[in-house]
Amino acid sequence: MIQLAENRYGKSRVRLMKVTRHPHGNDLLEWTVQVLLRGDFESAHLGGDNSKILATDTMKNTVYSVARNSSAKSMEEYAMELIDFLLGRNPQVSSAEVRIASTLWKRLTIDGKPHPDSFMRGSGELQTTLVEKSQGGTFKIVSGLEDLVVLKTAKSGFEGYIQESLTTLKETSDRLFGTAIKAEWLYDAEGFDYEAVRSTIRETMLKTFAEHDSKSVQQTLYAMGESALNTVSEISEIKLAMPNKHCLLVDLSRFGQDNPNEIFVPIDEPRGYIEARIVRQA
Amino acid sequence: MIQLAENRYGKSRVRLMKVTRHPHGNDLLEWTVQVLLRGDFESAHLGGDNSKILATDTMKNTVYSVARNSSAKSMEEYAMELIDFLLGRNPQVSSAEVRIASTLWKRLTIDGKPHPDSFMRGSGELQTTLVEKSQGGTFKIVSGLEDLVVLKTAKSGFEGYIQESLTTLKETSDRLFGTAIKAEWLYDAEGFDYEAVRSTIRETMLKTFAEHDSKSVQQTLYAMGESALNTVSEISEIKLAMPNKHCLLVDLSRFGQDNPNEIFVPIDEPRGYIEARIVRQA
Amino acid sequence: MIQLAENRYGKSRVRLMKVTRHPHGNDLLEWTVQVLLRGDFESAHLGGDNSKILATDTMKNTVYSVARNSSAKSMEEYAMELIDFLLGRNPQVSSAEVRIASTLWKRLTIDGKPHPDSFMRGSGELQTTLVEKSQGGTFKIVSGLEDLVVLKTAKSGFEGYIQESLTTLKETSDRLFGTAIKAEWLYDAEGFDYEAVRSTIRETMLKTFAEHDSKSVQQTLYAMGESALNTVSEISEIKLAMPNKHCLLVDLSRFGQDNPNEIFVPIDEPRGYIEARIVRQA
Amino acid sequence: MIQLAENRYGKSRVRLMKVTRHPHGNDLLEWTVQVLLRGDFESAHLGGDNSKILATDTMKNTVYSVARNSSAKSMEEYAMELIDFLLGRNPQVSSAEVRIASTLWKRLTIDGKPHPDSFMRGSGELQTTLVEKSQGGTFKIVSGLEDLVVLKTAKSGFEGYIQESLTTLKETSDRLFGTAIKAEWLYDAEGFDYEAVRSTIRETMLKTFAEHDSKSVQQTLYAMGESALNTVSEISEIKLAMPNKHCLLVDLSRFGQDNPNEIFVPIDEPRGYIEARIVRQA
């Protein structure tokens, strides 16, 4: 017998730009929102009965309407408002999740002063949050960032690994270490200053990345997660994924030239991939 | 106390092109391989001790070396060979997973005949497999496809959904239904003709998509999964994700023109997102 | 003194999907249209006077409105209709150009028969046209294709090139030759069966690519252009650009294995780039 | 008679990362280089004779070898060195062009201080140069930038444009104005401080963008080009392309809400496209 085991649906890539207008200038936010619902949708799947289906187009409208009324100070709080709105109006929905990715915009500096209403797109780094709640439950909040691309040109080596018949990599005590950090941290509870926590975690991880005397991506990744947990008490675990974006030293000896770790070829593929979840134990 | 809870690492985006040379022509395969290992790597994370670390560069070499000797008839079988090779040589590894995505190449037809050694890139559709095994365990094989982009111009409507204060979508009994199918099916066991199964599942789903009198994406998605499970006894469940790639009818009445479902604007965002897991129950 | 030397403006990425409904099934076209206008727009640039500016939003509406009424049998003819419409209503416009890229959709085959109303996205190959006209002038029509990705596994070598102190590439009489063909052909006049010409040029070039005994990308590129000009009398020149999408032979001798041109790494960068314009001389 | 009218070839997407090591820290540059040569290559195209062909792989090696020895203070100077090297060794080459795009890396700030050897990827903005020279000729240097994405939330309107039967856009004195600036400026001569000029042009254009009371993209684009030419005497013309990256005001009145220019949907397509070349006349 064939059965529907699990299902969810919603709207993804709902783009929202919000301008907040103050007397002396404007603030700018750009978010990409995804809403997903689980619930009692078996009749739609098996019978084509849409009577319990909230159209994904309506979810899109809801994103904009709730944003207009929102006084949330963070993505996390807005996501909670949106979820409560959806759960409150849709008893057939058993749980809702909202994922938001925030694009970086930086205020322009003109003649040395911050401009009141003009902005420049920042790097490709995204600030993210994934908030979930079941009917009658509590919020699970996982915030993070991704595509934070960093590179250190000193204090990174890779030595002492397994030597076997398929090993061709040369050991080095001095290599470039480039990565695109993806981090997700789990909040213990709700009601925090999410923006402040985010900023602290980000700075702490960058400081550890820069200062760490790296023996491997694994070791530096762990040190970054450890420093985040040590610095921020509001989170109980952090998951980090750090691809190794390799930069290959060019062999110039073929041309009678030396290459004292100066000329490299950055490559996009293949890439190492390292991930770990680091937790605070009671 | 802070602890390492979980970790895995490996090499991603290892690209492999394999030409098999026959007396009267060649075959061509292009795969992108990812290898991930779990195991006893705590000393690397906490102490910077790499003595149990198989370099990801060595994994890359392993992909090529094993491919040269392989007589696998499918991605699934090659992935199993690769996993057994890695587990056999690395007792510190507790489990290994290999993901392969295969790019479509089609043999060129010249003067009405298949050409022996020239090929054309097919669509962006990927054939995928994800194979996992623990030391001493059995293989878990999940194969699939993604980015199979299809569109039906008839037999699709969307009516009878919830009408509420934020609903602006108009009901229609005749809309375009475009999607990018992602499917993953779980094999019950190993030893099958994976290529034949793949081909049958793909054709079955396409036939259902084309012929289904669709009341919603949900209903068609379920029908596609159901037909796959009904047709192929080797699999016990299938997971389908089908974004709704909307095509908006252009309002030409503003210009005194009718638009009998002929002129549309395809949009990439926002998009509906529908997914479900459909299982065969004993 | 500072002056406006040249300017043009318009709307790009106007996406249009057209379903043509017949008694026994539908046809499907997906185009991305760009409209650019040149003309007397100095007062807008220098004085902020928009009175001669046709809003780009209006151009977008024009694309859809003209498409609804169009009976064009090809992109080229539709582009001409659109240009004549725009030039006729806008005397301040001195010339207009329309670029269209057509996305591949293939009719689904179900149970061995073409399905009347369901389609599958084809490869990333685009069919293109760029049509220009000045007020009172004649049409210049350049059609083409791009991202036609092909690869030959035999009859390709590269030998006898310059050997100098920075040369490390090894000569080979047997390599993989992969490329993404971009072609643009110039029509002598108007009024042709553009779809038939396009199809003939494409097939001719593919046949030459497959059969050519290639000494270099340059030689094969020229042979392809030559065969197109020899086969199709309606065009007077063709411009071809063919990046060399390298596939590197993996050195397995380090692992005690041979590699008789079977295992390759395809790379996206760097890539060779070869282009030429080939003309018919009177 | 069919002829080779024009041709050029070379290597594109040659990626180079250069670390310059100082006693107290490192500098980091990442460039993507393209080399294209024109010359006497007819025998390769028509006869498969490669004796005058410098392999594109050798060009790639040349990029790295010349970079190692280079003392250039800018992309422009390195490009000139590379061209002179290639022209000097290859008399069969009639002219060479080098295009470089530089990726933004910013030094990390840790505890308020610039870190000596760690960096973060900046925005997607690229700094570019295109340098050309014929055998025995002088350098033509066109530098620029692209994908400098900016947005102003005030002082932008669009009114007074043509109203016709296909016009549906509403006039507004207050809209968001977002764009991705592409600029290319032509140097009068060589021997300048290219980095200083680049920085001045960029700042001048950003200041004009931010402060301009914009009646249209055209007017702001012209003002930006004019200010660049007025500020920098070393250039004689500037070409600007500024797509209009639209942000649509969401109609919340359907839900009984106002929207005082606060909630927008940014869209990627369609987009306006505006370009102009602005020159200094003697």
Side-chain angles (χ1 to χ4, degrees), chain B residues 35 37 54 59 62 81-90 96:
Chain B
V35 178
L37 307 180
L54 186 71
M59 297 181 204
T62 306
E81 290 177 0
L82 186 55
I83 287 173
D84 278 338
F85 186 95
L86 288 163
L87 290 179
R89 285 160 74 109
N90 291 281

Side-chain angles (χ1 to χ4, degrees), chain C residues 1-15 32 34 36 38 41 44-58 60-62 64-66 85 89-90 92 157-162 164-169 215-216 218-223 225-227 229-230 244 246 268-282, chain D residues 1-15 32 34 36 38 41 44-58 60-62 64-66 85 89-90 92 157-162 164-169 215-216 218-223 225-227 229-230 244 246 268-282:
Chain C
M1 205 192 110
I2 290 168
Q3 286 188 327
L4 180 65
E6 284 178 293
N7 76 90
R8 58 179 185 169
Y9 83 105
K11 200 75 160 189
S12 65
R13 293 168 63 173
V14 181
R15 294 181 62 182
T32 301
Q34 178 177 271
L36 290 177
R38 294 173 192 268
F41 303 122
H45 287 81
L46 276 68
D49 168 11
N50 295 324
S51 61
K52 290 180 177 167
I53 295 290
L54 186 72
T56 66
D57 188 77
T58 306
K60 177 198 71 180
N61 289 343
T62 306
Y64 296 120
S65 179
V66 170
F85 186 94
R89 285 160 74 108
N90 291 280
Q92 82 283 14
F158 187 50
E159 299 171 289
Y161 47 84
I162 293 170
E164 50 128 277
S165 64
L166 293 170
T167 305
T168 55
L169 185 72
K215 303 295 187 202
S216 66
Q218 281 88 341
Q219 191 202 18
T220 301
L221 181 154
Y222 184 81
E226 189 181 35
S227 68
L229 287 164
N230 274 331
N244 194 343
H246 306 293
D268 283 344
E269 53 187 19
R271 55 171 62 175
Y273 179 82
I274 291 91
E275 67 172 25
R277 191 164 60 88
I278 302 158
V279 300
R280 191 195 319 278
Q281 234 29 30
Chain D
M1 205 192 111
I2 291 167
Q3 287 187 326
L4 181 64
E6 285 178 293
N7 74 91
R8 58 179 185 170
Y9 83 105
K11 200 75 159 188
S12 64
R13 292 167 65 172
V14 181
R15 294 180 62 182
T32 301
Q34 178 177 270
L36 290 178
R38 294 172 192 269
F41 304 123
H45 286 82
L46 275 69
D49 168 10
N50 294 325
S51 61
K52 291 179 177 168
I53 296 290
L54 186 72
T56 66
D57 188 76
T58 306
K60 178 199 70 181
N61 289 342
T62 305
Y64 297 121
S65 179
V66 170
F85 186 94
R89 285 160 73 109
N90 291 282
Q92 83 283 14
F158 187 50
E159 300 172 288
Y161 46 84
I162 293 170
E164 49 127 280
S165 64
L166 292 170
T167 305
T168 56
L169 185 73
K215 304 294 188 201
S216 67
Q218 281 88 339
Q219 191 202 18
T220 301
L221 181 154
Y222 184 80
E226 189 181 35
S227 69
L229 286 165
N230 274 332
N244 194 344
H246 306 293
D268 283 344
E269 53 186 22
R271 55 171 61 175
Y273 179 83
I274 291 89
E275 68 172 24
R277 191 164 61 88
I278 302 158
V279 300
R280 192 196 318 278
Q281 240 18 36

Side-chain angles (χ1 to χ4, degrees), chain C residues 5-170:
Chain C
E6 284 178 293
N7 76 90
R8 58 179 185 169
Y9 83 105
K11 200 75 160 189
S12 65
R13 293 168 63 173
V14 181
R15 294 181 62 182
L16 165 65
M17 191 169 268
K18 185 167 184 176
V19 180
T20 308
R21 298 179 183 275
H22 304 292
H24 303 300
N26 301 326
D27 292 332
L28 180 68
L29 284 175
E30 183 181 347
W31 292 347
T32 301
V33 181
Q34 178 177 271
V35 178
L36 290 177
L37 306 181
R38 294 173 192 268
D40 174 15
F41 303 122
E42 193 160 301
S43 58
H45 287 81
L46 276 68
D49 168 11
N50 295 324
S51 61
K52 290 180 177 167
I53 295 290
L54 186 72
T56 66
D57 188 77
T58 306
M59 297 182 204
K60 177 198 71 180
N61 289 343
T62 306
V63 165
Y64 296 120
S65 179
V66 170
R68 173 69 188 106
N69 289 344
S70 174
S71 57
K73 290 186 165 35
S74 64
M75 297 190 288
E76 287 81 357
E77 290 159 285
Y78 166 75
M80 290 188 269
E81 289 177 1
L82 186 55
I83 287 173
D84 278 338
F85 186 94
L86 288 162
L87 290 178
R89 285 160 74 108
N90 291 280
Q92 82 283 14
V93 172
S94 58
S95 72
E97 68 177 73
V98 169
R99 187 182 190 282
I100 304 177
S102 176
T103 301
L104 286 186
W105 285 96
K106 299 183 299 184
R107 192 175 293 280
L108 274 179
T109 300
I110 302 296
D111 295 336
K113 280 178 281 188
H115 194 269
D117 43 43
S118 291
F119 302 86
M120 180 187 300
R121 175 74 60 85
S123 77
E125 180 188 345
L126 294 174
Q127 306 301 319
T128 63
T129 195
L130 175 64
V131 182
E132 298 175 60
K133 190 181 180 180
S134 299
Q135 290 281 10
T138 55
F139 286 108
K140 179 185 176 193
I141 306 168
V142 175
S143 292
L145 54 84
E146 59 190 61
D147 283 324
L148 170 52
V149 179
V150 290
L151 186 144
K152 56 191 288 177
T153 60
K155 288 193 277 186
S156 169
F158 187 50
E159 299 171 289
Y161 47 84
I162 293 170
Q163 298 290 334
E164 50 128 277
S165 64
L166 293 170
T167 305
T168 55
L169 185 72
K170 288 186 185 138

Side-chain angles (χ1 to χ4, degrees), chain A:
Chain A
M1 206 193 111
I2 290 168
Q3 287 187 327
L4 181 64
E6 284 178 293
N7 76 90
R8 58 179 185 170
Y9 82 105
K11 200 75 159 188
S12 65
R13 293 168 63 172
V14 181
R15 294 180 63 183
L16 165 65
M17 190 170 269
K18 185 166 184 176
V19 179
T20 308
R21 298 180 183 274
H22 304 293
H24 302 300
N26 302 326
D27 292 332
L28 180 68
L29 284 175
E30 183 181 346
W31 292 347
T32 301
V33 181
Q34 178 177 271
V35 178
L36 289 177
L37 307 180
R38 294 173 192 268
D40 173 16
F41 305 122
E42 193 160 301
S43 58
H45 287 82
L46 275 69
D49 168 11
N50 294 325
S51 61
K52 291 180 177 166
I53 295 290
L54 186 72
T56 66
D57 187 77
T58 307
M59 297 181 204
K60 177 199 70 181
N61 289 342
T62 306
V63 165
Y64 296 121
S65 179
V66 170
R68 174 70 188 104
N69 289 343
S70 174
S71 57
K73 290 186 165 36
S74 64
M75 295 190 289
E76 288 81 357
E77 290 159 286
Y78 167 74
M80 290 188 270
E81 289 177 2
L82 186 55
I83 286 173
D84 278 338
F85 186 95
L86 288 162
L87 290 178
R89 285 160 73 107
N90 291 281
Q92 82 283 13
V93 171
S94 59
S95 72
E97 68 177 74
V98 169
R99 187 184 190 283
I100 305 177
S102 176
T103 301
L104 286 186
W105 285 96
K106 299 183 300 184
R107 192 175 293 281
L108 274 178
T109 299
I110 302 296
D111 294 338
K113 279 179 282 187
H115 194 271
D117 43 43
S118 290
F119 302 86
M120 180 186 300
R121 175 75 60 84
S123 77
E125 180 186 346
L126 293 174
Q127 306 302 319
T128 63
T129 195
L130 176 63
V131 182
E132 298 175 59
K133 190 180 180 180
S134 298
Q135 290 281 9
T138 55
F139 286 107
K140 180 186 176 193
I141 306 168
V142 176
S143 293
L145 56 82
E146 57 190 62
D147 284 324
L148 170 52
V149 179
V150 289
L151 186 144
K152 57 191 287 177
T153 60
K155 287 192 277 185
S156 170
F158 187 49
E159 298 171 289
Y161 46 83
I162 294 170
Q163 298 290 333
E164 50 127 278
S165 64
L166 293 169
T167 305
T168 56
L169 186 72
K170 289 187 185 137
E171 294 182 284
T172 176
S173 61
D174 190 9
R175 64 173 183 175
L176 301 196
F177 174 5
T179 189
I181 303 168
K182 179 176 179 179
E184 291 177 297
W185 48 88
L186 173 66
Y187 282 97
D188 275 337
E190 55 180 277
F192 299 121
D193 181 343
Y194 302 97
E195 287 299 312
V197 170
R198 175 183 300 280
S199 177
T200 302
I201 291 175
R202 188 176 178 280
E203 275 173 48
T204 300
M205 291 196 303
L206 287 175
K207 178 176 159 74
T208 303
F209 175 80
E211 297 182 348
H212 194 241
D213 192 1
S214 175
K215 303 295 188 201
S216 66
V217 176
Q218 281 88 340
Q219 192 202 17
T220 301
L221 181 154
Y222 184 80
M224 290 165 65
E226 189 181 35
S227 67
L229 286 165
N230 274 331
T231 308
V232 176
S233 62
E234 291 88 342
I235 65 171
S236 55
E237 70 171 59
I238 185 165
K239 191 175 168 185
L240 287 165
M242 287 169 50
N244 194 344
K245 292 167 74 84
H246 306 293
C247 297
L248 309 179
L249 191 69
V250 180
D251 176 11
L252 296 174
S253 66
R254 303 170 296 174
F255 317 129
Q257 295 174 290
D258 66 346
N259 186 1
N261 265 357
E262 297 215 344
I263 305 291
F264 296 86
V265 188
I267 61 171
D268 283 345
E269 53 187 20
R271 54 170 61 174
Y273 179 84
I274 291 91
E275 68 172 24
R277 191 164 61 87
I278 302 158
V279 300
R280 191 196 318 279
Q281 246 6 47

Side-chain angles (χ1 to χ4, degrees), chain D residues 47-269:
Chain D
D49 168 10
N50 294 325
S51 61
K52 291 179 177 168
I53 296 290
L54 186 72
T56 66
D57 188 76
T58 306
M59 297 181 203
K60 178 199 70 181
N61 289 342
T62 305
V63 165
Y64 297 121
S65 179
V66 170
R68 174 70 187 103
N69 290 343
S70 176
S71 56
K73 291 189 164 31
S74 64
M75 297 190 288
E76 287 82 356
E77 288 158 288
Y78 167 74
M80 290 188 269
E81 288 177 1
L82 186 54
I83 287 173
D84 279 338
F85 186 94
L86 288 163
L87 290 178
R89 285 160 73 109
N90 291 282
Q92 83 283 14
V93 171
S94 58
S95 72
E97 69 176 73
V98 169
R99 187 183 191 281
I100 305 177
S102 177
T103 301
L104 287 186
W105 285 95
K106 299 183 300 186
R107 192 175 294 281
L108 275 179
T109 300
I110 303 296
D111 294 337
K113 279 178 281 189
H115 194 270
D117 43 43
S118 291
F119 302 86
M120 180 187 299
R121 175 76 59 83
S123 77
E125 180 187 345
L126 294 174
Q127 307 301 320
T128 63
T129 195
L130 175 63
V131 182
E132 298 175 60
K133 190 181 181 180
S134 299
Q135 291 280 10
T138 55
F139 286 107
K140 180 186 176 192
I141 306 168
V142 175
S143 293
L145 55 83
E146 57 190 63
D147 283 324
L148 171 50
V149 179
V150 289
L151 186 143
K152 56 190 288 177
T153 60
K155 286 193 276 186
S156 170
F158 187 50
E159 300 172 288
Y161 46 84
I162 293 170
Q163 298 290 333
E164 49 127 280
S165 64
L166 292 170
T167 305
T168 56
L169 185 73
K170 287 185 185 139
E171 294 181 285
T172 176
S173 61
D174 190 9
R175 64 173 184 175
L176 301 196
F177 173 5
T179 189
I181 303 168
K182 179 177 179 179
E184 291 177 297
W185 49 89
L186 172 67
Y187 282 96
D188 274 338
E190 55 181 276
F192 299 122
D193 181 344
Y194 302 98
E195 287 299 311
V197 170
R198 176 183 298 281
S199 177
T200 302
I201 291 175
R202 189 176 176 280
E203 276 174 47
T204 300
M205 291 197 303
L206 287 175
K207 180 176 157 74
T208 304
F209 175 79
E211 297 183 346
H212 193 241
D213 193 1
S214 174
K215 304 294 188 201
S216 67
V217 177
Q218 281 88 339
Q219 191 202 18
T220 301
L221 181 154
Y222 184 80
M224 291 165 65
E226 189 181 35
S227 69
L229 286 165
N230 274 332
T231 308
V232 176
S233 62
E234 291 89 341
I235 65 170
S236 54
E237 70 172 58
I238 186 165
K239 191 174 169 185
L240 287 164
M242 288 169 50
N244 194 344
K245 292 168 73 85
H246 306 293
C247 297
L248 308 179
L249 190 70
V250 180
D251 175 11
L252 295 173
S253 66
R254 301 169 297 174
F255 317 129
Q257 295 174 290
D258 67 346
N259 186 2
N261 264 358
E262 296 216 344
I263 305 291
F264 296 86
V265 188
I267 61 171
D268 283 344
E269 53 186 22

